[in-house]
DNA sequence: CTTTTTTGCACAATCGATGGTGCAAATAAT
DNA sequence: ATTATTTGCACCATCGATTGTGCAAAAAAG
């Protein structure tokens, strides 16, 4: 009964085999047959034939006709990082549970690439788009708007579509505070000029985090200075260079380090590879983003875990509203103490056999 | 000139606006117009109109007609792990450089889900499929074969389609050897019963790695035992339980640990969270998979970095052959010494501004 | 045994793009 | 001035599904 190497069966094939019209076959197979008052026995006949011939609908044809595809897109800056890959994992699970097909693509934080990618997705009539960390969410909004595609910003907000983001300001406050607290019963308490922020650039998230960092620093250490802020972009290499430069200048690292993202943290790793253990004997790192391995490094690493589950859940909720308000929804992130291995989306995957 | 909120322009719209037929418009816009001997001036006229009205082709319609979509799929077991997310990143770059649109989906290492996902991809007429770590590559092959879709196995081999995988046997040998060597100038050399393998299951990769592990152990330590092999599946939780059980029984961890994948390594992290630093004072870990953060843990971690770049490059090469031989291509992985921060696909992304 | 209602399905237009075919008009050859 | 070529484009069927409409036959009502 299997068709080896042949073309896929279409409703027309089944139409001939069953003696019914193609429209009847279509109705039976897409579930609208009761509405169309098709006899139960006819439906069964066709369903059996469909199974025997391994019929599956051509979703391009269906999409073309109904101008909906069943695809839901997630636009990511990059894959290769625990924050985003874990978001992708959660996204997939949630989309599937809604009976749709998830599609994840990355655009390398490149505005051009972002727009081009979204254009492509739109040309495939994706039904909904989740825009995570777009450099220019409002342009992306323009495209979606014009195409009538429901969309929502995640992680980085836009001004024209609803956004669900981490409370970066609060998160940064928590993190900065935790770094400082960590020195409470150290031999020498942390001096204000020993607490630096590295990484990030001029995006909403970085700005908020920097604000939180400064505010806490002012409140707890009564100190504020631009010199303590080193935005190095989102590149491991630039971050490494910044650390090297600092080390060259000062002969040591700052004892308190606020690192803007796990990507920047990789810059610190590169620096570490060049320097002996002792260089890091007395430092405390706070990293905005959680990475399980990062949490167990040889020095205390405090991390912020952004709640991608809640963010996505909220986003799904909003995207289903008919006319969601264009506002920013803040999701509280979580402070993760050193040496903590949190569960992740992988844990909900059942692992058959062994 | 912008169309706000309106429907997207089609070739028919442009056909009316230009006074040409739809087929002429089509030819001009898909680049076949010279072949069709369309006047240059006509082409320009239409191209201008297209730009003014922001025309982009409906790719579902094109795909329906030409039964090719321009989509290239990558089927992943999971996203949330550096090995696979880095593969996704590399994949994206390579597919884009071929002028196609990458689509990454995960199937949770669930055979049912895998088949369903591939069915869906096929229904969208994807042009090519890269199957990474499928639990049942040969069934997936069946679907692709029937639909006439070029496909190739990565990471885990199948018997019916060409496969590109890591040389897991050699990798495991290298890794095991490196672990043993690491104890050469230790106070007490590593005893055979102190070297254990944790993680993995009954898949090709695990079997090969176990084989390599055993062979080296026999060669260098003249010892072989089933007790030293603890396949715990690909679940952090199961792995943690295995460590806990071992610790409960022996009062300590094995000094030499071969961990089958970074996912299993996360099980060790969970164990670590429950136990003080001293527990790990004397151990050496070898992990099959590279994770930059994992490389800097407080004890020596030797890692194997699988060469996803080469694997994908080879896979692309093969998938373009008309009739690629059904054989397994081995790609050599790389041994990564402790405290090493390698560059990754993210490094080729230019980071604009700061 | 009519008339009305319900049941069960077929027909045909449509979604947007592609590509084979054919045919005038323009140009070149004789 | 005629015939042969070439140029430039229009026409139309097609890909596979969806959906509004219409119409027989069967069942129910009278």
């Amino acid at each position: 009964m299997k068709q080896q190497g042949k073309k896929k069966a279409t409703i027309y094939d089944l139409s001939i085999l069953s003696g019914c019209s193609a429209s009847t076959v279509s109705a039976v197979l897409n579930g609208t047959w009761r509405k169309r008052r098709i006899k139960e026995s006819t439906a069964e006949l066709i369903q059996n034939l469909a199974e025997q011939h391994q019929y599956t609908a051509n979703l391009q044809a269906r999409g073309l006709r109904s101008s909906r595809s069943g695809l839901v897109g997630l636009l990511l800056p990059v894959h290769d990082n625990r924050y985003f890959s874990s978001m992708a994992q959660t996204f997939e699970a949630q989309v599937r549970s809604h009976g749709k097909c998830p599609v994840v693509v990355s655009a390398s934080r490149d505005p051009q690439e972002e727009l081009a990618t979204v254009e492509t997705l739109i040309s495939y009539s994706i039904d909904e788009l989740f825009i995570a960390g777009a450099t220019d969410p409002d342009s992306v909004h323009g495209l979606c708007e014009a195409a009538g595609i429901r969309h929502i910003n995640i992680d980085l907000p836009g001004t024209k579509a609803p956004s669900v983001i981490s409370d970066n300001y609060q998160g940064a406050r928590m993190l900065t505070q935790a770094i400082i607290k960590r020195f409470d019963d150290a031999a020498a308490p942390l001096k204000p000029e020993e607490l630096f922020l590295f990484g990030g650039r001029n995006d909403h998230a970085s700005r908020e985090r920097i604000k939180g960092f400064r505010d806490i620093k002012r409140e707890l250490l009564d100190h504020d200075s631009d010199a303590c802020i080193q935005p190095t972009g989102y590149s491991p290499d630039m971050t490494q260079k910044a650390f090297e430069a600092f080390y060259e200048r000062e002969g040591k690292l700052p004892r308190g380090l606020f690192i803007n993202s796990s990507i920047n943290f990789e810059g610190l790793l590169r620096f570490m590879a060049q320097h002996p253990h002792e260089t890091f004997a007395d430092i405390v790192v706070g990293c905005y983003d959680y990475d399980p391995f990062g949490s167990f490094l040889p020095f205390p690493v405090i991390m912020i875990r952004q709640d991608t589950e809640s963010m996505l859940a909220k986003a799904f909720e909003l995207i289903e509203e008919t006319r969601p308000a264009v506002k920013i929804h803040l999701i509280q992130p979580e402070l993760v103490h050193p040496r903590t291995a949190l569960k992740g989306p992988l844990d909900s995957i059942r692992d058959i056999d062994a």
Side-chain angles (χ1 to χ4, degrees), chain A:
Chain A
M1 285 299 170
K2 284 181 200 163
Q3 319 228 88
Q4 290 291 5
K6 310 228 174 169
K7 307 277 170 198
K8 288 191 48 171
T10 71
I11 54 170
Y12 298 99
D13 301 331
L14 298 182
S15 152
I16 292 169
L17 289 166
S18 67
C20 301
S21 75
S23 60
T24 300
V25 175
S26 169
V28 167
L29 295 173
N30 68 26
T32 59
W33 58 280
R34 289 182 187 285
K35 205 179 313 173
R36 279 181 162 270
R37 299 183 319 223
I38 308 287
K39 223 196 300 180
E40 183 119 15
S41 63
T42 310
E44 277 174 21
L45 167 66
I46 292 175
Q47 282 161 346
N48 287 335
L49 282 172
E51 203 158 332
Q52 279 171 42
H53 295 267
Q54 309 192 111
Y55 170 84
T56 51
N58 178 321
L59 298 180
Q60 300 210 67
R62 171 180 293 169
L64 175 58
R65 182 59 233 252
S66 52
S67 63
R68 302 180 349 90
S69 64
L71 297 174
V72 182
L74 172 66
L75 180 70
L76 245 41
V78 296
H79 282 282
D80 189 14
N81 150 300
R82 279 307 204 100
Y83 174 51
F84 290 118
S85 63
S86 146
M87 183 180 281
Q89 190 79 44
T90 313
F91 174 77
E92 289 231 1
Q94 297 213 12
V95 173
R96 283 190 204 277
S97 79
H98 288 225
K100 308 266 211 143
C101 181
V103 168
V104 183
V105 289
S106 78
S108 311
R109 247 189 269 277
D110 172 342
Q112 302 267 311
E113 190 79 67
E114 277 167 13
L115 292 179
T117 304
V118 171
E119 285 268 15
T120 307
L121 291 177
I122 288 176
S123 311
Y124 283 110
S125 308
I126 61 163
D127 298 338
E128 290 154 5
L129 179 62
F130 291 72
I131 306 156
T135 52
D136 184 3
D138 288 343
S139 300
V140 175
H141 162 88
L143 292 179
C144 292
E145 172 85 354
I149 288 180
R150 311 180 146 284
H151 57 289
I152 203 157
N153 296 307
I154 314 235
D155 191 51
L156 243 37
T159 63
K160 300 180 158 181
S163 306
V164 180
I165 65 174
S166 271
D167 189 339
N168 287 301
Y169 177 71
Q170 279 302 334
R173 285 181 64 101
M174 280 165 36
L175 186 55
T176 313
Q177 191 162 28
I179 297 172
I180 296 173
K181 279 261 167 66
R182 187 85 195 181
F183 285 94
D184 269 2
D185 34 37
L190 186 67
K191 280 178 283 187
E193 349 43 282
E194 292 178 325
L195 180 54
F196 272 70
L197 181 150
F198 280 82
R201 59 156 90 146
N202 186 24
D203 56 33
H204 184 275
S206 297
R207 285 194 302 272
E208 289 294 303
R209 292 173 195 171
I210 289 175
K211 192 139 67 80
F213 175 80
R214 297 186 92 125
D215 283 0
I216 285 287
K217 228 184 138 178
R218 211 174 314 103
E219 288 170 27
L220 294 189
L221 302 181
D222 191 33
H223 181 269
D224 188 5
S225 106
D226 289 337
C228 293
I229 313 281
Q230 310 254 334
T232 57
Y234 286 117
S235 134
D237 239 30
M238 286 300 125
T239 316
Q240 174 188 14
K241 292 210 174 80
F243 282 119
E244 295 287 5
F246 187 98
Y247 187 77
E248 191 108 346
R249 227 171 34 239
E250 311 282 335
K252 58 176 182 185
L253 286 183
R255 289 167 71 212
L257 276 178
F258 182 120
I259 298 183
N260 202 309
S261 90
S262 61
I263 296 180
N264 294 303
F265 203 164
E266 289 200 42
L268 181 58
L269 294 183
R270 295 184 187 186
F271 175 86
M272 286 174 71
Q274 309 297 324
H275 300 265
H277 277 102
E278 303 80 71
T279 321
F280 311 92
D282 193 28
I283 76 169
V284 171
V285 168
C287 177
Y288 209 104
D289 274 353
Y290 169 70
D291 179 295
F293 290 97
S295 187
F296 287 86
L297 294 190
F299 39 79
V301 177
I302 308 159
M303 307 193 103
I304 292 286
R305 186 186 122 97
Q306 306 191 57
D307 188 352
T308 48
E309 290 251 0
S310 300
M311 287 167 62
L312 283 169
K314 184 70 185 177
F316 269 97
E317 203 178 284
L318 287 171
I319 216 166
E320 268 162 20
E321 286 178 18
T322 26
R323 192 68 195 79
V326 177
K327 54 174 285 198
I328 295 181
H329 300 260
L330 289 181
I331 303 290
Q332 290 309 313
E334 175 190 1
L335 188 77
V336 181
H337 291 285
R339 290 173 51 83
T340 307
L342 297 177
K343 302 218 164 192
L346 288 189
D347 284 286
S348 40
I349 292 174
R350 65 178 171 295
D351 188 45
I352 50 282
D353 88 57

